[in-house]
Amino acid sequence: MQHTLRVRGMTCQNCVKHVTKALQAVPGVRSAAVSLDKGQAVVEVESDKTSAGQLAAAVAEAGYETEEEGSSGHHGQAPPDENSGAQSAPSALRMMPIHRAQPTAVLAADPSLYRLDLPIEGMTCASCVAKVERALRAVAGVRAANVNLATEKATVQALPGVAAEQLRRAVYDAGYRVSELQEGLDPLVQDEQKKQRTYRQLRRKVTVGAVLSAPIFILMYWHELGLNAWCHLPMQTSFLLQLLLATPVQFWAGWPFYRSAFLAAKHRTTDMNTLVAVGTSAAFVYSLVATLAPQFFTVEGVTLAVYYDTSATIIVLILLGRMLEARAKGQASQAIKKLLGLQPKTARLRRDGQDVDVPINEVQVRDLVVVRPGEKIPVDGVVRQGHSSVDESMISGEPIPVEKTQGDDVVGGALNKTGSFVFEATKVGKQTALARIIQLVEQAQGSKPAIARLADLIASVFVPIVMAVAALTFAIWWLFGPAPALTYALLNAVAVLIIACPCALGLATPTSIMVGTGVGAAHGVLIRDAQALETAHKVNVVVLDKTGTITKGKPELTDILPAHGMEQDVLLRLAASAEKGSEHPLGEAIVGAALARGLSMSEAQRFEALPGRGLAATVDGKALLLGNLKLMRDSHIPIESMNGALEHLSAQGKTPMFVAADGELAGVLAVADPVKPGSSEAIAALKKLGLEVVMLTGDNHRTAQAIARLVGVDRVLAEVLPHDKASTVKQLQADGKRVAMVGDGINDAPALAQADVGIAIGGGTDVAIEAADITLMRGELQGVVTAIALSHATIRNIRQNLFWAFAYNTVLIPVAAGILYPFTGMLLSPIFAAAAMGLSSVTVVSNALRLRRFGRQ
């Protein structure tokens, strides 16, 4: 019996695992498949003694709310509720407890909440991220908020009563802005356009700033360059000219710093822009006073100086860093751009015998779509006429074109290569495979792993500490520094403010996640969230379901062993004629093999099914018996001549089917679920990574051991019932193992949810994919190796970035404060501090971009 429950309050994959474990603990539950996107649980129970009330009580005890959608007496997957999700009527919503074990996990749809993505403008560092998150979480009704500096987006999950305007106001009050989206234009396209505008604006400011700053340097070193002999330039005149050149740089090019710093100060907080605005203003105001009222700085024996070059150059260098950073971030998101580029703009529909081109958003389910050679397939569907080869490499990562004939599935975004065909649309709009992939990749790129929390925590208190250090530096140099003390105090305090900007800290994690998840998608590995990407590198045991994961999941004829001089084709034709029309998987394998060889089959006469043994039939006048060893013994058919071959087949885990004709053994046909190509190599690669590989199957020990020997698995857990798979994973975890579970069936879903990382084979069921953290689009085991290796590479990259960001600030702030001056006489010029600060951000993003060179394992 099956119950389908609506579960409310889930916000992440951890919630899914939590609910799954709670349901599996209820006595009488055979399996539980919990879907985060649908907000429901499909529970198989052994009998009606296990009630929906017991299941609801278990979910409530786990901290969630539920209601029964319905129950059925059959065993199978309940049809999905197309109306579940954020469209539920607000009147039916109630406040509920929400599991917060992973507050930074990726946010997904929930029946009681709605999700809103806000493009944020004005963020420049990790402290900006922390401020926006705090502001959004403070809005009544907001359940979670996740802000990403690399994607410049906030993802908010809130109760339906929370208006978007409230969120925009909260962001504005924090000192930032929410970009307005145009109706009817794809948000991803608008996001790309915004990035391009930002890059062009920065380039314009950098260009103008550099053109104005260059003459300032010439005026600064007029005498040293020998230009005074050519044109005498009094010092005050030089100062005035520098003032005229520096003012546009300070207040036009540098206006974004002032605006953000002002908004931050208005709300009694600070950020990176505060550091830049205060530092450059100090140098500019000092120079302004020295220009207009030089008597304030008259010190005997000391030549008056101004620092317009310092303030102007710092602004130009920081803007240059941001410009390079913007371009690098655009490269980091190229996975999304490539996926967007796969979406055709129009489709050719066949209506009333005529072919009509229509915009892609007008295609409806059941429409007939015409695809010609060289065109992209617009939506998902099933081929109805024609045949072709289709390049699905950008969807599945598989480089070899796939042959498509009548009845085969096609996916939107794939490229038609040779022939023309007509297909019936089955999924359109946001339901297509490509749209779901884009959504998953974007969702993963906007999420945060646990390793990012350290950076967020430090950034939230970093700027005030830096302001204090700068003030202390100024005071020490002013009180105890050499003449002119005020000048030294000013320059060193400015150097501290500029060098300490935490830009690199805020970019260290999200850029690596953005590139890593994009690279995974390009290789056919879809990662649901950053937490899964982080956890995968900690795995030390990989549990592989046998059927459909290691093997193809569909029996095939592997051996034809004739007896008494009978030919192979004759034996196969007789057996296939007897099995023609059979729905038994073994019979289908025999018939399929005969068709593949082009054999013509006869009509069977006097057909009789023999339950538990096989069948009897008359074909071409011969009395045939086709079945197992018991049928042969009961019919007194001698099989001794085949004993050696049978032992060999048994050792390979193959199922022998005996064929007898007119009372004599005619031969043996062997059927097996063949191993997928590449399974052995993938398992060897997993072992090379130091992982223990375990095969989990409901098959008998003999067959399981045979497959294990064939593919190189050392540990086999056989004869495990479907509802015991999750408890088997749980036992491995109890032994201290970090477990990755790989499966493809409905009965694998509980085990996928129980595992530390669930990996679904893409050719499997929707329920398995919903329960998994990672989905392999290719449907082959090599993707597991790629996913785990990519996790190692990404986490290593994040650690490198964080080390660079932390080490940079830790080492250079004391240097900027002048700690080396008493020993070496060396000071860090504010100009070099600005260059170093910009370089640190570009270095972090460039290091993340190295992940794009990651090759499929």
Side-chain angles (χ1 to χ4, degrees), residues 25-365:
V26 176
V29 170
R30 296 177 59 189
S31 67
V34 181
S35 168
L36 179 63
D37 289 343
K38 295 184 179 73
Q40 69 179 20
V42 180
V43 186
E44 290 276 356
V45 297
E46 292 175 357
S47 69
D48 56 7
K49 292 181 180 178
T50 305
S51 68
Q54 289 175 277
L55 302 176
V59 173
E61 190 174 340
Y64 305 86
E65 288 192 356
T66 184
E67 62 186 45
E68 187 174 19
E69 292 184 347
S71 61
S72 57
H74 67 278
H75 296 282
Q77 185 185 357
D81 180 6
E82 295 295 337
N83 297 317
S84 67
Q87 303 303 319
S88 302
S91 59
L93 303 174
R94 300 188 301 275
M95 293 293 287
M96 66 213 68
I98 290 189
H99 181 54
R100 289 186 178 271
Q102 297 288 346
T104 57
V106 64
L107 303 172
D110 182 279
S112 61
L113 305 174
Y114 81 101
R115 170 178 169 154
L116 187 65
D117 291 326
L118 303 173
I120 308 294
E121 294 181 12
M123 296 191 300
T124 54
C125 64
S127 63
C128 300
V129 170
K131 281 197 298 181
V132 176
E133 282 186 347
R134 281 197 303 270
L136 289 169
R137 288 170 183 164
V139 176
V142 169
R143 288 293 177 260
N146 179 24
V147 179
N148 187 300
L149 179 61
T151 59
E152 297 177 330
K153 285 184 182 176
T155 303
V156 181
Q157 214 171 28
L159 293 170
V162 178
E165 186 55 40
Q166 291 176 266
L167 303 176
R168 288 194 185 93
R169 173 57 57 182
V171 172
Y172 181 78
D173 288 344
Y176 305 88
R177 298 177 303 283
V178 175
S179 302
E180 294 294 332
L181 295 179
Q182 299 176 29
E183 292 292 333
L185 192 59
D186 192 309
L188 290 172
V189 174
Q190 293 188 59
D191 181 58
E192 179 61 26
Q193 291 175 348
K194 188 190 83 172
K195 286 180 179 177
Q196 290 295 328
R197 282 198 305 271
T198 300
Y199 176 74
R200 288 195 297 268
Q201 289 169 0
L202 286 169
R203 186 175 60 187
R204 184 165 61 250
K205 285 182 178 292
V206 168
T207 303
V208 173
V211 168
L212 292 174
S213 298
I216 295 176
F217 274 94
I218 295 174
L219 292 169
M220 280 285 296
Y221 298 100
W222 189 267
H223 291 275
E224 288 80 352
L225 293 172
L227 298 175
N228 203 49
W230 170 70
C231 177
H232 177 69
L233 187 65
M235 184 177 67
Q236 274 316 108
T237 304
S238 174
F239 289 175
L240 285 169
L241 290 173
Q242 291 178 53
L243 172 61
L244 291 174
L245 292 167
T247 300
V249 179
Q250 187 73 34
F251 298 105
W252 175 74
W255 176 247
F257 303 116
Y258 282 104
R259 184 184 184 282
S260 297
F262 172 76
L263 290 173
K266 182 180 174 184
H267 299 99
R268 299 178 183 178
T269 184
T270 57
D271 61 12
M272 171 200 158
N273 298 288
T274 306
L275 302 182
V276 177
V278 171
T280 58
S281 295
F284 184 85
V285 171
Y286 175 94
S287 303
L288 179 65
V289 174
T291 301
L292 302 180
Q295 63 273 15
F296 284 108
F297 298 101
T298 303
V299 179
E300 188 176 348
V302 176
T303 304
L304 186 65
V306 291
Y307 297 96
Y308 294 114
D309 61 325
T310 299
S311 63
T313 307
I314 286 172
I315 288 172
V316 171
L317 286 174
I318 293 175
L319 290 174
L320 175 63
R322 287 190 182 180
M323 185 189 80
L324 296 174
E325 182 185 303
R327 188 171 69 177
K329 284 198 290 189
Q331 294 172 339
S333 61
Q334 70 173 193
I336 289 283
K337 294 177 193 173
K338 285 183 179 178
L339 290 170
L340 282 171
L342 293 177
Q343 295 179 311
K345 306 299 181 189
T346 61
R348 184 173 292 108
L349 303 187
R350 180 155 292 175
R351 291 176 175 169
D352 302 323
Q354 300 292 321
D355 292 349
V356 218
D357 288 337
V358 301
I360 189 73
N361 56 7
E362 291 183 15
V363 180
Q364 303 292 322
V365 173

Side-chain angles (χ1 to χ4, degrees), residues 661-679:
D662 296 330
E664 291 187 359
L665 183 67
V668 176
L669 302 176
V671 177
D673 181 8
V675 171
K676 286 182 179 179
S679 289

Side-chain angles (χ1 to χ4, degrees), residues 363-692:
V363 180
Q364 303 292 322
V365 173
R366 296 192 183 89
D367 276 344
L368 292 178
V369 185
V370 182
V371 184
R372 297 173 182 172
E375 293 181 341
K376 288 179 182 176
I377 298 170
V379 295
D380 296 1
V382 179
V383 177
R384 296 303 182 205
Q385 298 174 24
H387 60 87
S388 182
S389 63
V390 175
D391 180 0
E392 298 179 341
S393 58
M394 274 303 291
I395 305 294
S396 67
E398 179 59 57
I400 302 173
V402 182
E403 294 298 321
K404 300 291 182 180
T405 59
Q406 189 171 346
D408 288 340
D409 293 329
V410 290
V411 292
L415 179 65
N416 183 33
K417 301 289 284 185
T418 53
S420 298
F421 60 90
V422 178
F423 73 92
E424 180 183 344
T426 56
K427 291 181 180 178
V428 299
K430 294 189 179 298
Q431 301 304 312
T432 64
L434 179 60
R436 291 175 67 192
I437 289 171
I438 291 173
Q439 183 183 12
L440 272 175
V441 173
E442 195 183 25
Q443 178 176 289
Q445 290 186 344
S447 63
K448 290 182 184 178
I451 196 172
R453 295 177 201 161
L454 178 61
D456 288 348
L457 179 64
I458 291 176
S460 63
V461 297
F462 189 72
V463 173
I465 291 175
V466 169
M467 297 286 286
V469 171
L472 181 63
T473 300
F474 182 88
I476 291 174
W477 278 94
W478 193 15
L479 295 173
F480 304 107
L486 180 59
T487 300
Y488 279 114
L490 173 70
L491 293 179
N492 289 319
V494 169
V496 169
L497 291 171
I498 300 305
I499 201 72
C501 293
C503 313
L505 200 58
L507 292 167
T509 300
T511 45
S512 296
I513 293 296
M514 182 188 290
V515 178
T517 51
V519 166
H523 292 299
V525 178
L526 289 185
I527 299 162
R528 186 178 292 272
D529 59 37
Q531 194 61 47
L533 187 63
E534 181 180 25
T535 305
H537 91 286
K538 301 175 184 175
V539 164
N540 47 32
V541 174
V542 178
V543 177
L544 306 174
D545 177 59
K546 179 179 78 71
T547 306
T549 302
I550 295 177
T551 64
K552 291 183 177 179
K554 185 178 181 181
E556 292 181 4
L557 184 69
T558 58
D559 299 85
I560 304 173
L561 306 175
H564 305 302
M566 181 170 281
E567 294 181 1
Q568 282 191 354
D569 283 357
V570 174
L571 176 63
L572 178 58
R573 193 183 72 81
L574 289 172
S577 298
E579 289 281 10
K580 187 179 178 183
S582 171
E583 294 183 358
H584 193 284
L586 300 183
E588 288 179 346
I590 292 172
V591 173
L595 291 173
R597 290 192 176 208
L599 302 179
S600 59
M601 288 171 275
S602 304
E603 290 296 325
Q605 307 293 324
R606 289 182 292 198
F607 180 90
E608 181 186 2
L610 305 171
R613 295 181 296 166
L615 60 85
T618 300
V619 176
D620 295 341
K622 295 180 183 291
L624 291 185
L625 290 173
L626 178 60
N628 57 22
L629 181 60
K630 188 176 188 305
L631 177 60
M632 296 298 105
R633 286 175 177 168
D634 291 348
S635 304
H636 306 290
I637 306 294
I639 61 167
E640 287 76 11
S641 61
M642 287 288 185
N643 282 344
L646 291 176
E647 288 181 11
H648 179 68
L649 293 174
S650 177
Q652 292 182 318
K654 298 175 180 178
T655 301
M657 298 180 67
F658 298 88
V659 183
D662 296 330
E664 291 187 359
L665 183 67
V668 176
L669 302 176
V671 177
D673 181 8
V675 171
K676 286 182 179 179
S679 289
S680 300
E681 293 79 0
I683 289 167
L686 289 171
K687 287 181 171 181
K688 194 173 180 181
L689 289 173
L691 303 172
E692 179 186 355

